[in-house]
Amino acid sequence: MRACARSPATEVAKQAILILIDGLTPSMFEATDAPTLRFLLESGDYRRAVSTFPSLTPVCLASVATGGHGDVHGIPHLVWWNRDEQRLVEYGSSFAALIAAGLGRGIRDTIVNLNERHLLRSAETMYEALEDAGLTTAAINITTYRGRTRHSSLVPGLPPVHGPKHFFFYSVYESDRTGAPVAWRNRAGGSIDAYAGQVGRWLVTRDAFDLLVFYLPDYDYASHALGPNAAHDALVRADAAIAALVEAAGGRDEFLERYAVVLCSDHGQSRIERVVKLRSDGMLVTASNRAAMVYGDDRRALAASFDEEPSVDVAMFLEDDALVARRGGDEDLALLDGFPDGRARAEAALRNPNAGEVLVSAARGWEFADLAGRSHLGGGSHGSLSAEDSEVPMLTIGFDAPPASITELKALFLRHFGVAVARAA
Ligand SMILES: [Zn+2]
């Protein structure tokens, strides 16, 4: 039955690894002299590609997993208003913001509900598509992981979730005993990426997967603090985690002999010089990093309330089902043409059923304080339509060509394994 679901090409497809370094900018990757990253860059095909909007990790990783923008997957922002449940959802803009939203519920939303409830059922993840075709998928630490296998939590009180067959999530869910130490023991020191390296080594040594999604979040964490293109130490630690996979395969040649590889990030980052707590009179604003959403009825009036607001670059809404972009009182879709894939990304974000009626992209250098008033002033942030926030490095080794968008990764892997691309790709 499994053989029928896959074309003959599947039999010769190499196993594949997606290495995703959160927040890595193209310029930082292109200039790196970290040895494993440099080796990979010189071994493959490279381009700059585009993220989704808002260019924020939960939205981006949902796009990677489902092959669509927010209109397909339903994850609208780091913080949003859940109309069905009449409450805020906060995925951890900052720890203080999680507390402001209610710590227990915030953790549950971030770890469990994002996948089990918020990610639209109509969107199929690449884990679901590949496992339905008889392939084995594995994922380490990626926050959008929905799959077919039920995993119990190692932490009392957290419910089971459904992930890839081999699933490792910050020492909270672990499908296999690998001997890796607890992921959270020293975040600033890179313990999460080190955990990924140890688990990845275990998986490679056992030849345990067809596709491994190897997610390294510590770079983004450091880059938020230090600013874009400055987190060199964190990149060296990411390099070490990737080197653990290479060593486990028996060396560089053996690694590329055995695996087709994609290396990319989910979004970029830009420097933050000013912060504002964005408000719109009497309306609910959900803001974090460099994007905001406003919930209310009179869309044009909501957008117009930001005409004089220097932190707002563009406000967007749908009117009679058509996209409108507004800046300083002017309405012109050409305002979006200064951004990579601007019109398509803005429209897809607005067509997300969980999005606010108005979406806001921050002006250069500005950040919107989160629920708890926290920001990354003096450091780096992302979320806007701008090229700095939206462009990502995209490297492929063993594929035809690197895709132009993170939304094309799912289809790339399905094609690689000879699995029909059913929907949302
Ligand atoms: Zn970030």
Side-chain angles (χ1 to χ4, degrees):
M1 181 178 145
R2 287 181 170 186
C4 299
R6 294 155 62 182
S7 77
T10 310
E11 307 311 323
V12 295
K14 283 184 183 179
Q15 295 147 286
I17 300 178
L18 168 60
I19 300 166
L20 212 157
I21 302 177
D22 196 312
L24 181 61
T25 57
S27 55
M28 190 78 176
F29 180 55
E30 291 157 15
T32 188
D33 54 9
T36 308
L37 290 171
R38 175 58 44 194
F39 161 71
L40 292 174
L41 182 53
E42 289 172 356
S43 302
D45 301 307
Y46 175 76
R47 65 168 293 164
R48 293 184 176 200
V50 183
S51 182
T52 190
F53 174 71
S55 45
L56 296 163
T57 295
V59 189
C60 299
L61 297 186
S63 287
V64 170
T66 63
H69 290 292
D71 56 335
V72 170
H73 59 63
I75 305 298
H77 200 297
L78 268 166
V79 54
W80 55 282
W81 180 251
N82 187 321
R83 294 182 178 91
D84 292 341
E85 300 179 14
Q86 291 288 295
R87 67 176 185 91
L88 279 177
V89 173
E90 164 61 65
Y91 295 135
S93 299
S94 65
F95 191 66
L98 264 188
I99 291 171
L103 183 60
R105 189 147 71 181
I107 288 174
R108 204 178 171 102
D109 279 337
T110 307
I111 295 177
V112 177
N113 293 342
L114 191 160
N115 289 275
E116 294 286 318
R117 301 178 68 165
H118 306 152
L119 193 67
L120 295 178
R121 286 281 147 200
S122 52
E124 175 196 57
T125 69
M126 58 184 177
Y127 311 104
E128 292 166 340
L130 292 172
E131 297 230 341
D132 287 352
L135 292 143
T136 301
T137 61
I140 303 173
N141 289 343
I142 194 154
T143 51
T144 303
Y145 55 71
R146 199 181 68 204
R148 301 294 190 204
T149 306
R150 188 174 185 272
H151 299 282
S152 299
S153 178
L154 302 176
V155 175
L158 280 176
V161 296
H162 296 82
K165 183 175 179 204
H166 295 290
F167 176 52
F168 302 87
F169 193 85
Y170 303 88
S171 308
V172 175
Y173 295 93
E174 290 186 341
S175 58
D176 306 88
R177 290 170 66 99
T178 66
V182 173
W184 286 104
R185 67 195 187 284
N186 180 8
R187 173 98 212 237
S191 65
I192 292 176
D193 288 0
Y195 168 86
Q198 284 158 322
V199 172
R201 180 196 303 273
W202 189 94
L203 288 166
V204 167
T205 302
R206 280 154 189 79
D207 200 15
F209 56 84
D210 293 296
L211 172 68
L212 167 63
V213 176
F214 190 69
Y215 172 63
L216 302 173
D218 284 343
Y219 179 84
D220 187 68
Y221 185 82
S223 186
H224 274 295
L226 300 171
N229 301 320
H232 295 280
D233 291 350
L235 194 57
V236 167
R237 292 193 290 265
D239 190 87
I242 300 163
L245 304 182
V246 174
E247 285 161 17
R252 290 177 172 181
D253 291 345
E254 292 82 356
F255 182 71
L256 294 188
E257 183 67 31
R258 195 158 135 196
Y259 298 114
V261 178
V262 176
L263 190 151
C264 66
S265 69
D266 53 343
H267 55 70
Q269 277 213 6
S270 53
R271 180 161 295 286
I272 298 307
E273 289 149 2
R274 286 177 283 267
V275 177
V276 65
K277 184 87 183 168
L278 195 68
R279 289 190 173 86
S280 181
D281 280 347
M283 294 301 151
L284 175 66
V285 178
T286 62
S288 177
N289 288 265
R290 290 180 28 82
M293 309 199 295
V294 191
Y295 293 81
D297 293 332
D298 188 342
R299 299 164 191 220
R300 173 162 285 109
L302 292 174
S305 71
F306 300 122
D307 283 351
E308 309 293 322
E309 173 54 54
S311 65
V312 171
D313 189 6
V314 191
M316 295 146 270
F317 56 98
L318 296 173
E319 184 180 62
D320 297 330
D321 211 38
L323 177 64
V324 180
R326 183 175 176 112
R327 175 191 287 151
D330 295 333
E331 291 185 358
D332 187 350
L333 284 183
L335 291 170
L336 298 172
D337 295 340
F339 306 114
D341 218 4
R343 295 190 195 204
R345 289 194 298 145
E347 181 161 353
L350 284 162
R351 292 191 187 286
N352 184 329
N354 293 316
E357 276 70 28
V358 174
L359 298 191
V360 170
S361 180
R364 190 181 177 87
W366 282 93
E367 186 176 42
F368 303 131
D370 69 24
L371 274 179
R374 298 299 163 90
S375 74
H376 304 100
L377 186 62
S381 187
H382 50 91
S384 81
L385 283 166
S386 76
E388 285 176 297
D389 291 359
S390 304
E391 280 193 344
V392 300
M394 183 64 75
L395 171 74
T396 58
I397 308 170
F399 296 90
D400 287 343
S405 164
I406 63 168
T407 60
E408 295 170 29
L409 286 167
K410 177 190 168 189
L412 181 86
F413 289 116
L414 266 56
R415 277 199 311 273
H416 175 77
F417 287 112
V419 176
V421 179
R423 42 189 163 150

